[in-house]
Amino acid sequence: MTHASLNRRSILLAAGLAVPALAIPWKAQAQEQPGPFRFTAGNGLETDAERGFFEVPEDRRLPGSRRIRLGYVRFPSTSPNPGPPIVYLAGGPGGSGVRTAMGPRFPIFMALREVADVIAFDQRGTGLSASIPDRASATPYPAMTHAGMSAWYREEMQKAWIDWTRAGVAMTGYNTEQNADDIEDLRRHLGAEKVNLWGISYGTHLALSVLKRHPNSIGRVALASLEGQDQTIKRPAHIDLFLDRVDRLMGADTAVRAAIPNMPALMRRVHERLEADPATVTFAGESGSVDVKVGGFGIQYMASAMVANPPSLSMLPKVYLALDAGKTEVLAPLIPPPHRFFNISGMPEAMDLASGVSPARLALIEKEARTAVLGDSFNLPMPHLLGSIPGVDLGEDFRSPIRIETPALLVAGSLDGRTPLEEQAEVIAQFENKAQVMVENAGHNVFEAHPEVETLLVKFFGEDAVGDTQLSLPPPKFLIA
């Protein structure tokens, strides 16, 4: 498997919405050279940019640790008097900041040049900063059941960790504290007194660690779809609350309500039946078709991805009605082929393992998962990987909340099924100097969901006054056929 594999925490599993492989293969890094170049976005637009690199220890705690090269793309400011550089922190973990700049957020990167240089940063182990060699999976594809998938990820992670360690990779260096220290080294490399942070999802988890470890180096933060210090694994009860809100939205459409009197009940019925009697689904593989058994747990995981944003969320009733009718062929275009789905790329798994979960929260998650609609599938392969690699957990001090006085713009979508609003509220409470933006009917990818968000970001990083703001989008149209 390669670094072009899918990021399990940001994948969109819906027909026509699947995200292409975006990471740059590890072996290609040596070919990337620093200096000016023409940056081309996915829509074909081009702009002047500069590719840059700097080196850091792979694990600062290990004397003699090998040094790894971290890369970024800088979009120079158009202002005659630019403010502190704005550093973009991608989600995941495992997302590429550079590749994000090629996608739907490209206009925001360009707009922010009005006030400062904008840095699309590739975190350690991703994109231009890939530092973990590619490796092929040695474990056969499992059945997509709870037992099958849990065992596969544990076995494959342990094998991969041994392989990479033997290859000289300090896998213990792939944690959010080291990632946060990379941001401090980036600031020094840029020669900036302070930098501003712009992040989403895991990028906010990383930003919180930067604020804890290097508070005097950060001027302002604009963060969306917040993930707190002890929220690597989401609480199943909070996902149930989100699904209840979605069910009430469905109830506003009489045709949908007639077809599905209760969406969570339909989902439970499908999950229970398929976990007891998995369906055989044929996928297109790298060298021909591949048959995989898909149980209820596999469906729960698919739904965990689909609820992230309204375009895929709107397809949920149609998919579950088909599954309830035994039409399991609906799954083939929704779930990535096995060679992309079953993979261990190193950085995402190591980051999540190190962030871990507090004992009290884990006990609550395990209790809630027993009765929750999506069980414990939501953050696969966590908590399933817990304990598979001893000694990497960063501990309770890392996960403890802090009081943050740094000016903050905090953005959320009311239909974010990936980072539930109840959990985001716990993070928001840590900020003393904040403005909140709520986009009604937006999902996890809220930055590009409403055009006014871009305007607010430019104002905020330009140090203009921004107050609490309510924005609105039309509700999703749920599909049943």
Side-chain angles (χ1 to χ4, degrees):
M1 299 303 159
T2 74
H3 289 275
S5 57
L6 292 172
N7 172 357
R8 279 175 296 282
R9 285 172 56 181
S10 63
I11 185 175
L12 295 180
L13 307 177
L17 295 173
V19 176
L22 293 179
I24 301 171
W26 176 76
K27 291 178 181 177
Q29 304 319 298
Q31 301 171 15
E32 302 292 342
Q33 298 299 321
F37 74 110
R38 290 292 287 175
F39 182 91
T40 305
N43 59 9
L45 294 178
E46 294 186 357
T47 188
D48 288 332
E50 176 188 329
R51 191 184 292 113
F53 296 94
F54 62 104
E55 288 191 351
V56 299
E58 193 163 38
D59 189 337
R60 294 172 178 85
R61 301 164 300 180
L62 298 178
S65 172
R66 75 167 183 165
R67 297 185 69 81
I68 56 174
R69 189 174 76 153
L70 304 185
Y72 62 90
V73 168
R74 181 178 71 92
F75 300 104
S77 177
T78 58
S79 170
N81 186 28
I86 300 167
V87 178
Y88 179 79
L89 303 180
S96 160
V98 174
R99 294 295 177 157
T100 298
M102 294 180 179
R105 285 175 207 150
F106 175 73
I108 307 178
F109 278 84
M110 296 300 96
L112 288 171
R113 295 179 306 165
E114 178 184 326
V115 296
D117 288 356
V118 186
I119 309 295
F121 178 58
D122 276 348
Q123 298 163 36
R124 55 173 52 211
T126 71
L128 293 175
S129 304
S131 41
I132 302 174
D134 304 335
R135 65 178 293 279
S137 170
T139 308
Y141 301 139
M144 294 181 69
T145 61
H146 190 281
M149 294 180 75
S150 298
W152 188 92
Y153 278 109
R154 291 183 69 86
E155 180 179 351
E156 187 63 13
M157 185 63 187
Q158 290 168 340
K159 289 178 179 177
W161 195 278
I162 291 170
D163 289 346
W164 285 320
T165 301
R166 286 175 175 168
V169 180
M171 290 301 299
T172 53
Y174 292 86
N175 65 57
T176 298
E177 287 189 338
Q178 296 285 321
N179 212 3
D181 291 349
D182 292 343
I183 304 302
E184 175 66 2
D185 282 352
L186 171 62
R187 180 191 66 79
R188 294 187 181 123
H189 165 79
L190 295 172
E193 182 181 350
K194 291 179 182 288
V195 294
N196 293 331
L197 303 180
W198 168 35
I200 190 167
S201 196
Y202 168 78
T204 72
H205 183 79
L206 171 56
L208 290 168
S209 187
V210 176
L211 290 168
K212 179 180 284 190
R213 296 173 71 79
H214 307 286
N216 296 328
S217 296
I218 307 303
R220 328 193 116 216
V221 296
L223 306 175
S225 308
L226 298 163
E227 178 178 283
Q229 295 95 328
D230 195 16
Q231 294 178 354
T232 293
I233 308 172
K234 309 301 179 286
R235 281 184 51 188
H238 289 158
I239 310 305
D240 277 355
L241 290 173
F242 173 79
L243 292 173
D244 287 341
R245 291 196 292 271
V246 171
D247 184 61
R248 289 194 292 273
L249 268 180
M250 290 181 182
D253 186 320
T254 54
V256 174
R257 185 84 303 165
I260 305 176
N262 184 296
M263 186 67 195
L266 170 63
M267 295 172 75
R268 290 179 188 277
R269 183 164 71 243
V270 168
H271 300 157
E272 289 170 5
R273 188 171 74 243
L274 282 171
E275 191 69 5
D277 185 18
T280 300
V281 180
T282 302
F283 297 95
E286 287 181 294
S287 55
S289 60
V290 179
D291 289 342
V292 176
K293 292 282 189 181
V294 181
F297 185 73
I299 306 303
Q300 288 175 314
Y301 179 65
M302 176 197 69
S304 298
M306 291 183 70
V307 301
N309 292 288
S312 50
L313 176 66
S314 66
M315 300 178 66
L316 209 63
K318 175 182 177 179
V319 170
Y320 272 88
L321 284 172
L323 292 173
D324 198 40
K327 300 176 182 178
T328 54
E329 63 272 15
V330 71
L331 296 174
L334 298 178
I335 300 176
H339 67 278
R340 295 182 69 201
F341 184 84
F342 288 110
N343 68 85
I344 296 289
S345 59
M347 183 273 198
E349 299 83 8
M351 290 284 176
D352 281 352
L353 270 172
S355 291
V357 59
S358 66
R361 184 177 175 90
L362 179 60
L364 193 59
I365 287 167
E366 290 175 338
K367 178 182 178 181
E368 293 174 353
R370 289 194 286 269
T371 57
V373 175
L374 298 182
D376 67 354
S377 68
F378 201 76
N379 285 110
L380 182 77
M382 293 286 281
H384 316 83
L385 279 178
L386 286 174
S388 60
I389 308 295
V392 297
D393 190 287
L394 288 171
E396 293 310 295
D397 182 64
F398 167 80
R399 289 184 285 267
S400 63
I402 56 177
R403 182 175 178 269
I404 303 167
E405 297 181 354
T406 305
L409 182 68
L410 307 177
V411 187
S414 69
L415 288 182
D416 180 354
R418 192 71 230 155
T419 45
L421 295 181
E422 291 81 4
E423 307 218 347
Q424 293 197 49
E426 297 172 5
V427 186
I428 291 169
Q430 299 179 55
F431 288 87
E432 302 290 329
N433 182 10
K434 60 182 178 287
Q436 294 179 242
V437 179
M438 174 60 71
V439 186
E440 192 70 23
N441 296 318
H444 191 65
N445 292 337
V446 66
F447 279 135
E448 63 267 37
H450 194 290
E452 187 62 23
V453 174
E454 176 186 304
T455 302
L456 292 169
L457 286 169
V458 173
K459 289 179 64 177
F460 174 74
F461 282 125
E463 301 192 13
D464 291 338
V466 175
D468 291 350
T469 306
Q470 292 281 334
L471 303 172
S472 185
L473 294 167
K477 296 184 182 297
F478 293 100
L479 305 178
I480 56 175

